Amino acid sequence: MTDGESPAQRTVVPIEPSLLIAEAFDQAQVTELRHSVTSCAHATGLAGQRLDDFVLAVNELITNAVRHGGGQGRLRLWRRGGDLVCEVADHGHGISERRLRDRDRPAPDTAGGWGLWLARELSDSMEVETGDAGTVVRITAALGARQPADHPLDG
């Protein structure tokens, strides 16, 4: 660069301060990752039943990734505005349209099929992107929100 030239413009990507966890996992890390999610979610302000519900929803998603998504996955947890967001991605073969459309509570004697239903019921929102290359599920919990009157696991 000569004295008469201005410095070249550089793109600076800020470090995202709201990113709390970004971890790859397999079966061996499920318990440790659940504890990390619990600690981070609690530190952001989730407490009581809302904390328990969010952690259970996340646990269902990471368990599904291990069982149905190729044995491993990636979890990211971050704050977005007034929400806590958790994203779980895997490299499985995707989720069928029928399974995604089914919003009914599984029968009590059903051994499987609870994971997505629980994640949807126990979080404030859930988005799913799925296909042959894998699945990404994103759930949110509003920070500072009040406990709902009816719990989805009751009756």
Side-chain angles (χ1 to χ4, degrees), residues 63-71 90-94 113:
T63 301
N64 276 357
V66 170
R67 286 186 182 157
H68 309 293
D90 66 46
H91 295 291
H93 298 294

Side-chain angles (χ1 to χ4, degrees), residues 102 104-115 117-118 152-155:
D102 186 5
D104 294 335
R105 180 179 179 157
D109 58 346
T110 304
W114 287 88
W117 183 85
L118 278 169
L153 298 180
D154 296 340

